Amino acid sequence: MHFTDRPDAGRRLAGRLTHLAGEDIVVLGLPRGGVLVAAEVAEALGAPLDIIVVRKLGVPFQPELGMGAIGEDGVRVVNEEVMRATGTAEQELAAVEERERAELDRRARRYRGSGRRTGVRGRTAVVVDDGVATGSTARAACLIARGHGAARVVLAVPVAPEGWTARMQGAADELVCLSTPVGFLGIGQFYEDFAQTTDSEVIACLERAADRLSGSDPDSAPQDAARSSTPPVADPEVVVHAGPVRLAGQLAVPEGATGLVVFAHGSGSSRHSPRNRSVATSLNKVGLATLLFDLLTAQEELDRANVFDTGLLARRLTDTTRWLLDQPEAQGLAVGYFGASTGAAAALWAAAEPGSQVVAVVSRGGRPDLAGPRLPAVTAPTLLIVGGEDEVVLDLNRQARAQLRCESRLAVVPGATHLFEEPGALAKVADLATEWFTGHLGPRAEPGG
């Protein structure tokens, strides 16, 4: 198996890691080249991306051959077999280690700047590199993740030599590799483009991943401005009553509203999600009320397991809907759910509850498969919107749609990735959602009305 470049390897590797989707994951790339692979895995799984800085200890007269590795927090791995075979003395090892330790510290400062590490304690750490040769650096990275309290360590690489797993004994709980070719001489022989990755490329990957999780979307503002000059509808802060729990929310009700859409955000997001707010603004302009709210309290968010508890999030949606329909401004309005990422699973789960008052559901880049056996019980017409380049999620949506017994449609946005960051992609999502909700919740407003 050969790869076009590291991003290609990352996309293919992500396809082998779909069983991890929905777990509390942190993807950890090994700089430099491994970060480009890891970035694709993190995006496909909707997980945060961080780095583990590790430096290979190369044999003095053959630097490409690793006799060990060092990592952050003093982790040190030595391959005694390579040292014996090459006749490398302890003094030579110490000299190489001193030089590489200085470079390791420089890279850690350069890549992270003033930013903090993403915590891995109690989570699944997915360690990713562009390949394994001797395995020293990958082993060191896994030991670092374990030392930081990861509940489970998965090592995933595109290519490695035969018998590579024996070198990883005790370092990782799961080993994933796409190809273990005969005649393995080096990682680079299996890439058409194996150019050296720069520090700037590593930093750019980390920044894009951070923007993805924070909901930053530089394209959304100009798209919104181009869509309409209609003044925005005020969305005052409200205290949502979800059973005994009180949650922060933002409720926007246009004059003469014809329906109401409740948003369920994905993991790592909140009522402030710029993407969801952008869609909500589009719905407000056609006379649909919107509620964006936090599904969990600040205390509950500290336990990452809650973020992926579909049943809990669905109950919050159900309780919130009951409360909302008792409010004077919402009485008599038909209700729809707009779910993003894992929030889509919660929306469909809630819509499947007996006596649900939901009449339409829209999923954006969602994980409806996480609603599992609840899908056949959904009666509300459901629209699944997925990016054409979001191949893993697209396949999961196709499988989930096959289980739905209600009116449904799968809309694919060509060229769009998981977060619809491409120019015009988010506007297309808003158009599709607006058409679906106005068709099921109420009439489309007249232009300018």
Side-chain angles (χ1 to χ4, degrees):
M1 179 181 291
H2 283 72
F3 308 100
T4 303
D5 52 19
R6 292 181 178 91
D8 172 53
R11 287 188 289 270
R12 292 206 241 173
L13 186 59
R16 283 281 298 275
L17 297 170
T18 55
H19 63 287
L20 299 176
E23 290 188 25
D24 188 5
I25 301 168
V26 179
V27 178
L28 303 168
L30 274 66
R32 296 184 178 107
V35 178
L36 273 65
V37 181
E40 299 293 333
V41 172
E43 181 171 352
L45 297 180
L49 172 69
D50 203 348
I51 55 172
I52 288 187
V53 186
V54 180
R55 291 292 294 170
K56 177 171 64 179
L57 302 177
V59 174
F61 59 86
Q62 192 177 350
E64 289 74 24
L65 177 60
M67 57 181 171
I70 56 173
E72 297 175 276
D73 306 317
V75 172
R76 181 176 185 265
V77 176
V78 176
N79 189 322
E80 300 287 354
E81 182 180 344
V82 172
M83 286 192 65
R84 286 194 300 270
T86 57
T88 304
E90 288 289 340
Q91 297 92 324
E92 294 175 301
L93 173 64
V96 172
E97 183 174 349
E98 181 179 4
R99 183 177 66 252
E100 293 299 339
R101 179 68 64 182
E103 176 63 13
L104 183 147
D105 292 340
R106 182 197 73 79
R107 289 195 181 191
R109 291 192 301 271
R110 169 86 169 120
Y111 298 150
R112 287 204 179 91
S114 58
R116 296 188 301 172
R117 291 178 182 171
T118 301
V120 300
R121 182 167 298 278
R123 308 168 79 176
T124 297
V126 184
V127 178
V128 177
D129 203 357
D130 53 13
V132 162
T134 64
S136 297
T137 53
R139 185 176 181 82
C142 291
L143 293 175
I144 292 172
R146 185 87 70 192
H148 286 163
R152 186 162 171 259
V153 177
V154 178
L155 174 61
V157 295
V159 63
E162 289 183 305
W164 75 289
T165 57
R167 306 173 190 176
M168 297 297 141
Q169 289 296 324
D173 301 294
E174 182 180 350
L175 302 172
V176 178
C177 182
L178 296 180
S179 177
T180 53
V182 177
F184 182 102
L185 298 176
I187 299 169
Q189 76 185 102
F190 302 100
Y191 286 82
E192 294 177 20
D193 178 1
F194 199 64
Q196 185 175 25
T197 305
T198 65
D199 284 350
S200 296
E201 288 177 296
V202 171
I203 294 168
C205 281
L206 295 173
E207 289 177 345
R208 283 195 299 271
D211 288 345
R212 168 172 57 82
L213 287 183
S214 67
S216 172
D217 192 343
D219 293 327
S220 64
Q223 289 173 4
D224 288 344
R227 289 176 63 79
S228 173
S229 59
T230 305
V233 178
D235 52 353
E237 294 282 336
V238 294
V239 177
V240 173
H241 293 216
V245 180
R246 301 296 179 263
L247 303 164
Q250 293 173 323
L251 178 64
V253 184
E255 185 176 353
T258 57
L260 171 63
V261 178
V262 180
F263 282 71
H265 59 73
S267 59
S269 189
S270 71
R271 70 188 189 281
H272 299 299
S273 164
R275 289 178 177 81
N276 283 350
R277 290 179 63 82
S278 177
V279 175
T281 298
S282 298
L283 297 177
N284 294 154
K285 289 173 182 176
V286 297
L288 294 173
T290 55
L291 173 68
L292 296 98
F293 74 108
D294 294 338
L295 291 165
L296 299 170
T297 66
Q299 185 65 32
E300 289 171 334
E301 287 179 346
L302 296 177
D303 183 352
R304 289 289 296 175
N306 290 328
V307 175
F308 298 97
D309 189 337
T310 304
L312 169 63
L313 303 181
R315 288 193 297 274
R316 289 290 160 80
L317 271 176
T318 299
D319 290 343
T320 296
T321 304
R322 291 194 186 110
W323 167 83
L324 187 58
L325 291 177
D326 283 338
Q327 305 312 299
E329 56 267 59
Q331 288 184 358
L333 295 180
V335 178
Y337 285 159
F338 182 97
S341 189
T342 52
L348 286 163
W349 187 299
E353 289 292 335
S356 171
Q357 300 183 65
V358 178
V359 290
V361 177
V362 172
S363 162
R364 169 180 67 82
R367 291 294 310 279
D369 56 296
L370 296 178
R374 294 292 186 112
L375 292 174
V378 176
T379 58
T382 299
L383 172 65
L384 308 173
I385 307 173
V386 187
E389 299 302 312
D390 193 6
E391 295 178 0
V392 173
V393 173
L394 179 56
D395 184 56
L396 292 172
N397 272 255
R398 287 182 175 130
Q399 295 176 39
R401 188 190 177 204
Q403 298 182 59
L404 290 170
R405 300 293 177 263
C406 58
E407 175 190 348
S408 67
R409 177 187 168 200
L410 175 62
V412 179
V413 179
T417 51
H418 186 62
L419 293 177
F420 299 90
E421 298 174 300
E422 296 72 21
L426 193 63
K428 181 62 176 175
V429 170
D431 287 339
L432 289 165
T434 298
E435 180 181 5
W436 194 259
F437 283 130
T438 53
H440 293 91
L441 301 184
R444 180 182 293 273
E446 293 296 324

